Amino acid sequence: MLIRRWKYEDILRISEIEKECFPQEPWSFKMLASSFESDAFYGVVCEDCGEIEGYGGITIAADSADVDNIAVTEPYRHSGVASAIIAELCNYAKLKGVEKVFLEVRVSNSAAMSLYLKNGFKGAYARTRYYSDGEDCLVMVKEL
């Protein structure tokens, strides 16, 4: 398993994984590609034998950061890929002087909440009717 910074040529595969993991509201190819225009964004992929198994991205603003997305393909879930991506994003953020990392998760996504709790995140507050389908989200935070 190799965690590395994502490259522009990875975007097509990342967008396929995005559609697989977030069929309700996937980021478009254009949205993913625009991440290369921001110095505040850091994106990584996890690959094995040249195959991308998952990806994640974080945006840093002063002493805080927001995890934009984490996604892992079905065959590699529960294998440590997501935790490795989270660890890399948080380590990078810490090197950049970040004190708190935030993320948003659908209240119905208990698997993701469990993953985030296991990786040191704690529930901070809820945002009602946050998603386009009216579902609430839980904002979670990790202090670095």
Side-chain angles (χ1 to χ4, degrees):
M1 176 171 34
L2 169 70
I3 305 285
R4 63 167 173 78
R5 191 166 199 159
W6 77 22
K7 301 178 278 192
Y8 192 83
E9 54 263 34
D10 297 325
I11 299 297
L12 180 59
R13 179 64 182 131
I14 291 169
S15 69
E16 291 168 352
I17 296 170
E18 178 76 10
K19 289 175 195 167
E20 173 192 327
C21 294
F22 307 107
Q24 294 170 319
E25 296 183 59
W27 283 22
S28 68
F29 182 94
K30 185 177 179 179
M31 290 169 69
L32 292 163
S34 72
S35 66
F36 288 92
E37 299 169 8
S38 172
D39 291 335
F41 181 82
Y42 177 69
V44 297
V45 296
C46 178
E47 68 178 7
D48 190 31
C49 299
E51 179 69 27
I52 295 176
E53 302 167 345
Y55 66 91
I58 194 167
T59 300
I60 296 171
D63 64 349
S64 69
D66 292 301
V67 173
D68 298 310
N69 240 346
I70 294 177
V72 176
T73 59
E74 183 68 38
Y76 296 98
R77 292 183 189 151
H78 309 289
S79 68
V81 170
S83 290
I85 291 169
I86 291 168
E88 172 60 22
L89 296 176
C90 289
N91 287 339
Y92 180 83
K94 189 172 185 174
L95 288 172
K96 294 295 185 180
V98 168
E99 296 174 8
K100 292 182 180 182
V101 176
F102 295 88
L103 59 80
E104 297 156 346
V105 60
R106 286 179 175 269
V107 295
S108 64
N109 193 344
S110 59
M113 281 189 226
S114 177
L115 168 72
Y116 301 140
L117 288 168
K118 183 178 92 173
N119 283 278
F121 285 84
K122 296 178 180 170
Y125 55 91
R127 290 189 173 143
T128 57
R129 303 185 55 77
Y130 180 75
Y131 294 101
S132 63
D133 62 1
E135 185 173 354
D136 298 345
C137 87
L138 174 64
V139 176
M140 300 183 80
V141 63
K142 178 177 181 174
E143 296 196 25
L144 302 180

PDB file of all heavy atoms in Angstrom, residues 98-126:
ATOM      1  N   VAL A  98      -1.573  23.244  11.464  1.00  0.00           N
ATOM      2  CA  VAL A  98      -2.992  23.100  11.772  1.00  0.00           C
ATOM      3  C   VAL A  98      -3.159  22.546  13.186  1.00  0.00           C
ATOM      4  O   VAL A  98      -2.438  21.636  13.603  1.00  0.00           O
ATOM      5  CB  VAL A  98      -3.680  22.179  10.739  1.00  0.00           C
ATOM      6  CG1 VAL A  98      -5.076  21.777  11.171  1.00  0.00           C
ATOM      7  CG2 VAL A  98      -3.714  22.857   9.371  1.00  0.00           C
ATOM      8  N   GLU A  99      -4.117  23.111  13.917  1.00  0.00           N
ATOM      9  CA  GLU A  99      -4.419  22.648  15.268  1.00  0.00           C
ATOM     10  C   GLU A  99      -5.680  21.791  15.323  1.00  0.00           C
ATOM     11  O   GLU A  99      -5.792  20.902  16.158  1.00  0.00           O
ATOM     12  CB  GLU A  99      -4.566  23.850  16.205  1.00  0.00           C
ATOM     13  CG  GLU A  99      -3.268  24.628  16.354  1.00  0.00           C
ATOM     14  CD  GLU A  99      -3.427  25.900  17.158  1.00  0.00           C
ATOM     15  OE1 GLU A  99      -4.510  26.128  17.748  1.00  0.00           O
ATOM     16  OE2 GLU A  99      -2.454  26.680  17.201  1.00  0.00           O
ATOM     17  N   LYS A 100      -6.654  22.069  14.435  1.00  0.00           N
ATOM     18  CA  LYS A 100      -7.911  21.322  14.421  1.00  0.00           C
ATOM     19  C   LYS A 100      -8.286  20.947  12.987  1.00  0.00           C
ATOM     20  O   LYS A 100      -8.204  21.786  12.088  1.00  0.00           O
ATOM     21  CB  LYS A 100      -9.059  22.139  15.025  1.00  0.00           C
ATOM     22  CG  LYS A 100      -8.932  22.374  16.505  1.00  0.00           C
ATOM     23  CD  LYS A 100     -10.143  23.140  17.020  1.00  0.00           C
ATOM     24  CE  LYS A 100     -10.005  23.378  18.523  1.00  0.00           C
ATOM     25  NZ  LYS A 100     -11.174  24.067  19.063  1.00  0.00           N
ATOM     26  N   VAL A 101      -8.729  19.707  12.833  1.00  0.00           N
ATOM     27  CA  VAL A 101      -9.205  19.212  11.540  1.00  0.00           C
ATOM     28  C   VAL A 101     -10.690  18.902  11.688  1.00  0.00           C
ATOM     29  O   VAL A 101     -11.092  18.200  12.617  1.00  0.00           O
ATOM     30  CB  VAL A 101      -8.438  17.956  11.095  1.00  0.00           C
ATOM     31  CG1 VAL A 101      -9.020  17.405   9.796  1.00  0.00           C
ATOM     32  CG2 VAL A 101      -6.954  18.244  10.946  1.00  0.00           C
ATOM     33  N   PHE A 102     -11.489  19.432  10.771  1.00  0.00           N
ATOM     34  CA  PHE A 102     -12.934  19.233  10.781  1.00  0.00           C
ATOM     35  C   PHE A 102     -13.349  18.373   9.592  1.00  0.00           C
ATOM     36  O   PHE A 102     -12.667  18.337   8.567  1.00  0.00           O
ATOM     37  CB  PHE A 102     -13.657  20.581  10.680  1.00  0.00           C
ATOM     38  CG  PHE A 102     -13.449  21.479  11.850  1.00  0.00           C
ATOM     39  CD1 PHE A 102     -12.368  22.364  11.892  1.00  0.00           C
ATOM     40  CD2 PHE A 102     -14.313  21.448  12.930  1.00  0.00           C
ATOM     41  CE1 PHE A 102     -12.166  23.201  12.976  1.00  0.00           C
ATOM     42  CE2 PHE A 102     -14.126  22.281  14.025  1.00  0.00           C
ATOM     43  CZ  PHE A 102     -13.049  23.156  14.043  1.00  0.00           C
ATOM     44  N   LEU A 103     -14.486  17.711   9.740  1.00  0.00           N
ATOM     45  CA  LEU A 103     -15.101  17.009   8.623  1.00  0.00           C
ATOM     46  C   LEU A 103     -16.595  16.935   8.852  1.00  0.00           C
ATOM     47  O   LEU A 103     -17.080  17.128   9.965  1.00  0.00           O
ATOM     48  CB  LEU A 103     -14.502  15.610   8.425  1.00  0.00           C
ATOM     49  CG  LEU A 103     -14.562  14.590   9.564  1.00  0.00           C
ATOM     50  CD1 LEU A 103     -15.922  13.922   9.657  1.00  0.00           C
ATOM     51  CD2 LEU A 103     -13.504  13.538   9.342  1.00  0.00           C
ATOM     52  N   GLU A 104     -17.320  16.674   7.783  1.00  0.00           N
ATOM     53  CA  GLU A 104     -18.771  16.545   7.845  1.00  0.00           C
ATOM     54  C   GLU A 104     -19.135  15.151   7.369  1.00  0.00           C
ATOM     55  O   GLU A 104     -18.559  14.653   6.401  1.00  0.00           O
ATOM     56  CB  GLU A 104     -19.435  17.596   6.946  1.00  0.00           C
ATOM     57  CG  GLU A 104     -19.140  19.002   7.397  1.00  0.00           C
ATOM     58  CD  GLU A 104     -19.250  20.025   6.292  1.00  0.00           C
ATOM     59  OE1 GLU A 104     -19.293  19.647   5.109  1.00  0.00           O
ATOM     60  OE2 GLU A 104     -19.280  21.221   6.623  1.00  0.00           O
ATOM     61  N   VAL A 105     -20.104  14.538   8.044  1.00  0.00           N
ATOM     62  CA  VAL A 105     -20.532  13.186   7.688  1.00  0.00           C
ATOM     63  C   VAL A 105     -22.052  13.098   7.812  1.00  0.00           C
ATOM     64  O   VAL A 105     -22.637  13.692   8.726  1.00  0.00           O
ATOM     65  CB  VAL A 105     -19.813  12.133   8.574  1.00  0.00           C
ATOM     66  CG1 VAL A 105     -20.096  12.328  10.044  1.00  0.00           C
ATOM     67  CG2 VAL A 105     -20.132  10.724   8.140  1.00  0.00           C
ATOM     68  N   ARG A 106     -22.661  12.388   6.876  1.00  0.00           N
ATOM     69  CA  ARG A 106     -24.109  12.175   6.942  1.00  0.00           C
ATOM     70  C   ARG A 106     -24.445  11.430   8.232  1.00  0.00           C
ATOM     71  O   ARG A 106     -23.745  10.486   8.607  1.00  0.00           O
ATOM     72  CB  ARG A 106     -24.596  11.345   5.753  1.00  0.00           C
ATOM     73  CG  ARG A 106     -24.639  12.099   4.460  1.00  0.00           C
ATOM     74  CD  ARG A 106     -25.124  11.185   3.313  1.00  0.00           C
ATOM     75  NE  ARG A 106     -25.276  11.954   2.101  1.00  0.00           N
ATOM     76  CZ  ARG A 106     -26.402  12.553   1.728  1.00  0.00           C
ATOM     77  NH1 ARG A 106     -27.495  12.426   2.461  1.00  0.00           N
ATOM     78  NH2 ARG A 106     -26.451  13.260   0.619  1.00  0.00           N
ATOM     79  N   VAL A 107     -25.525  11.822   8.883  1.00  0.00           N
ATOM     80  CA  VAL A 107     -25.897  11.159  10.138  1.00  0.00           C
ATOM     81  C   VAL A 107     -26.261   9.693   9.912  1.00  0.00           C
ATOM     82  O   VAL A 107     -26.183   8.890  10.848  1.00  0.00           O
ATOM     83  CB  VAL A 107     -27.031  11.895  10.880  1.00  0.00           C
ATOM     84  CG1 VAL A 107     -26.568  13.266  11.338  1.00  0.00           C
ATOM     85  CG2 VAL A 107     -28.280  11.996  10.040  1.00  0.00           C
ATOM     86  N   SER A 108     -26.623   9.334   8.692  1.00  0.00           N
ATOM     87  CA  SER A 108     -26.962   7.934   8.392  1.00  0.00           C
ATOM     88  C   SER A 108     -25.733   7.071   8.106  1.00  0.00           C
ATOM     89  O   SER A 108     -25.839   5.847   8.013  1.00  0.00           O
ATOM     90  CB  SER A 108     -27.907   7.866   7.183  1.00  0.00           C
ATOM     91  OG  SER A 108     -27.251   8.347   6.019  1.00  0.00           O
ATOM     92  N   ASN A 109     -24.567   7.682   7.991  1.00  0.00           N
ATOM     93  CA  ASN A 109     -23.361   6.941   7.611  1.00  0.00           C
ATOM     94  C   ASN A 109     -22.603   6.478   8.850  1.00  0.00           C
ATOM     95  O   ASN A 109     -21.551   7.005   9.209  1.00  0.00           O
ATOM     96  CB  ASN A 109     -22.481   7.814   6.710  1.00  0.00           C
ATOM     97  CG  ASN A 109     -21.396   7.018   6.021  1.00  0.00           C
ATOM     98  OD1 ASN A 109     -21.084   5.896   6.410  1.00  0.00           O
ATOM     99  ND2 ASN A 109     -20.811   7.616   4.997  1.00  0.00           N
ATOM    100  N   SER A 110     -23.153   5.463   9.501  1.00  0.00           N
ATOM    101  CA  SER A 110     -22.558   4.979  10.750  1.00  0.00           C
ATOM    102  C   SER A 110     -21.175   4.362  10.533  1.00  0.00           C
ATOM    103  O   SER A 110     -20.313   4.452  11.410  1.00  0.00           O
ATOM    104  CB  SER A 110     -23.486   3.979  11.436  1.00  0.00           C
ATOM    105  OG  SER A 110     -23.747   2.883  10.592  1.00  0.00           O
ATOM    106  N   ALA A 111     -20.939   3.761   9.378  1.00  0.00           N
ATOM    107  CA  ALA A 111     -19.621   3.178   9.107  1.00  0.00           C
ATOM    108  C   ALA A 111     -18.545   4.259   9.078  1.00  0.00           C
ATOM    109  O   ALA A 111     -17.462   4.098   9.664  1.00  0.00           O
ATOM    110  CB  ALA A 111     -19.637   2.401   7.790  1.00  0.00           C
ATOM    111  N   ALA A 112     -18.850   5.382   8.419  1.00  0.00           N
ATOM    112  CA  ALA A 112     -17.883   6.479   8.365  1.00  0.00           C
ATOM    113  C   ALA A 112     -17.677   7.091   9.743  1.00  0.00           C
ATOM    114  O   ALA A 112     -16.545   7.380  10.143  1.00  0.00           O
ATOM    115  CB  ALA A 112     -18.346   7.536   7.371  1.00  0.00           C
ATOM    116  N   MET A 113     -18.765   7.276  10.487  1.00  0.00           N
ATOM    117  CA  MET A 113     -18.632   7.837  11.841  1.00  0.00           C
ATOM    118  C   MET A 113     -17.740   6.957  12.707  1.00  0.00           C
ATOM    119  O   MET A 113     -16.888   7.457  13.445  1.00  0.00           O
ATOM    120  CB  MET A 113     -19.999   8.004  12.485  1.00  0.00           C
ATOM    121  CG  MET A 113     -20.735   9.217  12.024  1.00  0.00           C
ATOM    122  SD  MET A 113     -22.201   9.456  13.036  1.00  0.00           S
ATOM    123  CE  MET A 113     -23.394   9.778  11.776  1.00  0.00           C
ATOM    124  N   SER A 114     -17.928   5.658  12.603  1.00  0.00           N
ATOM    125  CA  SER A 114     -17.109   4.721  13.367  1.00  0.00           C
ATOM    126  C   SER A 114     -15.637   4.844  12.979  1.00  0.00           C
ATOM    127  O   SER A 114     -14.746   4.858  13.836  1.00  0.00           O
ATOM    128  CB  SER A 114     -17.619   3.301  13.132  1.00  0.00           C
ATOM    129  OG  SER A 114     -16.812   2.368  13.793  1.00  0.00           O
ATOM    130  N   LEU A 115     -15.378   4.952  11.689  1.00  0.00           N
ATOM    131  CA  LEU A 115     -14.009   5.129  11.190  1.00  0.00           C
ATOM    132  C   LEU A 115     -13.396   6.398  11.769  1.00  0.00           C
ATOM    133  O   LEU A 115     -12.263   6.389  12.254  1.00  0.00           O
ATOM    134  CB  LEU A 115     -14.020   5.195   9.659  1.00  0.00           C
ATOM    135  CG  LEU A 115     -12.715   5.654   9.005  1.00  0.00           C
ATOM    136  CD1 LEU A 115     -11.661   4.569   9.106  1.00  0.00           C
ATOM    137  CD2 LEU A 115     -12.962   6.064   7.560  1.00  0.00           C
ATOM    138  N   TYR A 116     -14.136   7.486  11.710  1.00  0.00           N
ATOM    139  CA  TYR A 116     -13.604   8.760  12.196  1.00  0.00           C
ATOM    140  C   TYR A 116     -13.367   8.737  13.703  1.00  0.00           C
ATOM    141  O   TYR A 116     -12.350   9.252  14.184  1.00  0.00           O
ATOM    142  CB  TYR A 116     -14.517   9.910  11.801  1.00  0.00           C
ATOM    143  CG  TYR A 116     -14.702  10.038  10.300  1.00  0.00           C
ATOM    144  CD1 TYR A 116     -15.939  10.341   9.762  1.00  0.00           C
ATOM    145  CD2 TYR A 116     -13.641   9.839   9.422  1.00  0.00           C
ATOM    146  CE1 TYR A 116     -16.118  10.454   8.385  1.00  0.00           C
ATOM    147  CE2 TYR A 116     -13.815   9.939   8.054  1.00  0.00           C
ATOM    148  CZ  TYR A 116     -15.047  10.248   7.532  1.00  0.00           C
ATOM    149  OH  TYR A 116     -15.214  10.353   6.187  1.00  0.00           O
ATOM    150  N   LEU A 117     -14.282   8.141  14.452  1.00  0.00           N
ATOM    151  CA  LEU A 117     -14.083   8.000  15.901  1.00  0.00           C
ATOM    152  C   LEU A 117     -12.818   7.194  16.192  1.00  0.00           C
ATOM    153  O   LEU A 117     -12.027   7.556  17.066  1.00  0.00           O
ATOM    154  CB  LEU A 117     -15.300   7.345  16.554  1.00  0.00           C
ATOM    155  CG  LEU A 117     -16.558   8.217  16.649  1.00  0.00           C
ATOM    156  CD1 LEU A 117     -17.759   7.358  17.030  1.00  0.00           C
ATOM    157  CD2 LEU A 117     -16.355   9.348  17.650  1.00  0.00           C
ATOM    158  N   LYS A 118     -12.627   6.120  15.453  1.00  0.00           N
ATOM    159  CA  LYS A 118     -11.445   5.264  15.627  1.00  0.00           C
ATOM    160  C   LYS A 118     -10.158   6.029  15.336  1.00  0.00           C
ATOM    161  O   LYS A 118      -9.103   5.719  15.887  1.00  0.00           O
ATOM    162  CB  LYS A 118     -11.560   4.050  14.693  1.00  0.00           C
ATOM    163  CG  LYS A 118     -10.448   3.044  14.818  1.00  0.00           C
ATOM    164  CD  LYS A 118     -10.672   1.865  13.901  1.00  0.00           C
ATOM    165  CE  LYS A 118      -9.979   2.126  12.598  1.00  0.00           C
ATOM    166  NZ  LYS A 118      -9.964   1.006  11.669  1.00  0.00           N
ATOM    167  N   ASN A 119     -10.264   7.054  14.492  1.00  0.00           N
ATOM    168  CA  ASN A 119      -9.091   7.838  14.110  1.00  0.00           C
ATOM    169  C   ASN A 119      -8.981   9.159  14.859  1.00  0.00           C
ATOM    170  O   ASN A 119      -8.287  10.073  14.420  1.00  0.00           O
ATOM    171  CB  ASN A 119      -9.090   8.060  12.597  1.00  0.00           C
ATOM    172  CG  ASN A 119      -8.641   6.824  11.852  1.00  0.00           C
ATOM    173  OD1 ASN A 119      -7.449   6.580  11.715  1.00  0.00           O
ATOM    174  ND2 ASN A 119      -9.582   6.023  11.403  1.00  0.00           N
ATOM    175  N   GLY A 120      -9.664   9.261  16.011  1.00  0.00           N
ATOM    176  CA  GLY A 120      -9.475  10.398  16.901  1.00  0.00           C
ATOM    177  C   GLY A 120     -10.405  11.579  16.722  1.00  0.00           C
ATOM    178  O   GLY A 120     -10.235  12.601  17.375  1.00  0.00           O
ATOM    179  N   PHE A 121     -11.384  11.465  15.841  1.00  0.00           N
ATOM    180  CA  PHE A 121     -12.355  12.554  15.676  1.00  0.00           C
ATOM    181  C   PHE A 121     -13.452  12.417  16.717  1.00  0.00           C
ATOM    182  O   PHE A 121     -13.768  11.316  17.160  1.00  0.00           O
ATOM    183  CB  PHE A 121     -12.970  12.520  14.269  1.00  0.00           C
ATOM    184  CG  PHE A 121     -12.045  13.028  13.199  1.00  0.00           C
ATOM    185  CD1 PHE A 121     -11.101  12.189  12.619  1.00  0.00           C
ATOM    186  CD2 PHE A 121     -12.109  14.344  12.766  1.00  0.00           C
ATOM    187  CE1 PHE A 121     -10.238  12.650  11.629  1.00  0.00           C
ATOM    188  CE2 PHE A 121     -11.259  14.816  11.774  1.00  0.00           C
ATOM    189  CZ  PHE A 121     -10.317  13.958  11.209  1.00  0.00           C
ATOM    190  N   LYS A 122     -14.043  13.553  17.083  1.00  0.00           N
ATOM    191  CA  LYS A 122     -15.154  13.577  18.038  1.00  0.00           C
ATOM    192  C   LYS A 122     -16.273  14.421  17.458  1.00  0.00           C
ATOM    193  O   LYS A 122     -16.029  15.385  16.728  1.00  0.00           O
ATOM    194  CB  LYS A 122     -14.704  14.174  19.374  1.00  0.00           C
ATOM    195  CG  LYS A 122     -13.653  13.333  20.061  1.00  0.00           C
ATOM    196  CD  LYS A 122     -13.189  13.953  21.348  1.00  0.00           C
ATOM    197  CE  LYS A 122     -12.136  13.024  21.939  1.00  0.00           C
ATOM    198  NZ  LYS A 122     -11.439  13.588  23.039  1.00  0.00           N
ATOM    199  N   GLY A 123     -17.503  14.071  17.807  1.00  0.00           N
ATOM    200  CA  GLY A 123     -18.646  14.863  17.366  1.00  0.00           C
ATOM    201  C   GLY A 123     -18.581  16.255  17.959  1.00  0.00           C
ATOM    202  O   GLY A 123     -18.301  16.410  19.150  1.00  0.00           O
ATOM    203  N   ALA A 124     -18.840  17.275  17.137  1.00  0.00           N
ATOM    204  CA  ALA A 124     -18.805  18.658  17.612  1.00  0.00           C
ATOM    205  C   ALA A 124     -20.216  19.249  17.631  1.00  0.00           C
ATOM    206  O   ALA A 124     -20.660  19.759  18.649  1.00  0.00           O
ATOM    207  CB  ALA A 124     -17.891  19.505  16.728  1.00  0.00           C
ATOM    208  N   TYR A 125     -20.915  19.172  16.517  1.00  0.00           N
ATOM    209  CA  TYR A 125     -22.282  19.695  16.423  1.00  0.00           C
ATOM    210  C   TYR A 125     -22.916  19.174  15.138  1.00  0.00           C
ATOM    211  O   TYR A 125     -22.236  18.619  14.272  1.00  0.00           O
ATOM    212  CB  TYR A 125     -22.315  21.227  16.469  1.00  0.00           C
ATOM    213  CG  TYR A 125     -21.456  21.906  15.430  1.00  0.00           C
ATOM    214  CD1 TYR A 125     -21.978  22.252  14.185  1.00  0.00           C
ATOM    215  CD2 TYR A 125     -20.119  22.207  15.686  1.00  0.00           C
ATOM    216  CE1 TYR A 125     -21.189  22.877  13.238  1.00  0.00           C
ATOM    217  CE2 TYR A 125     -19.334  22.826  14.740  1.00  0.00           C
ATOM    218  CZ  TYR A 125     -19.867  23.156  13.511  1.00  0.00           C
ATOM    219  OH  TYR A 125     -19.084  23.765  12.568  1.00  0.00           O
ATOM    220  N   ALA A 126     -24.230  19.362  15.020  1.00  0.00           N
ATOM    221  CA  ALA A 126     -24.967  18.916  13.835  1.00  0.00           C
ATOM    222  C   ALA A 126     -25.387  20.120  12.998  1.00  0.00           C
ATOM    223  O   ALA A 126     -25.565  21.222  13.521  1.00  0.00           O
ATOM    224  CB  ALA A 126     -26.194  18.120  14.243  1.00  0.00           C
TER     225      ALA A 126
END
